[in-house]
Amino acid sequence: MEEPAARRFKNNQENKALDASRLIAEREKTHGSFAVQARVAQLIKAAIREGLEGREVELPAAQQEALDLIATKMGRIVAGDAGFKDHWDDIQGYARLGRGA
């Protein structure tokens, strides 16, 4: 027979797994397939890295990160719901952060 604490732990872990599955399913509605989004974002990031090669002055880390996050958002737009306002708002926010770096 399972101890009450062990049963609670097991139920908690099962609930977390279920919650994660629900979250993934919900996000796919706006973000699209994670595999597609990841592939698109990585292609964009590779193009950015290639474009930055050989520069005399390296971009600050904050600007590089802003570009990476914008690429991720672009991947979500391509793979998911292009009309999802948050994607576009986030790109605008990351661009502002990059500009201020």
Side-chain angles (χ1 to χ4, degrees):
M1 186 162 134
E2 249 183 329
E3 295 287 327
R7 191 173 333 115
R8 280 194 308 272
F9 177 78
K10 180 180 175 185
N11 289 340
N12 189 33
Q13 294 304 309
E14 289 170 353
N15 286 338
K16 285 181 181 179
L18 184 58
D19 287 346
S21 294
R22 286 182 186 147
L23 179 63
I24 290 167
E26 188 65 28
R27 290 292 188 268
E28 281 187 349
K29 294 176 186 175
T30 54
H31 296 32
S33 158
F34 180 73
V36 173
Q37 181 275 319
R39 185 174 67 245
V40 170
Q42 289 304 309
L43 288 169
I44 295 168
K45 291 174 185 182
I48 291 169
R49 285 190 299 273
E50 184 179 318
L52 292 174
E53 284 180 13
R55 286 177 52 110
E56 288 184 29
V57 178
E58 191 172 306
L59 287 181
Q63 288 181 337
Q64 290 179 42
E65 185 65 14
L67 288 172
D68 277 351
L69 291 168
I70 289 169
T72 296
K73 292 297 179 173
M74 291 172 69
R76 290 177 178 176
I77 290 167
V78 170
D81 180 357
F84 188 59
K85 183 180 178 302
D86 286 3
H87 297 324
W88 299 100
D89 291 345
D90 289 346
I91 287 173
Q92 183 179 30
Y94 292 130
R96 284 183 178 168
L97 290 170
R99 180 185 63 207

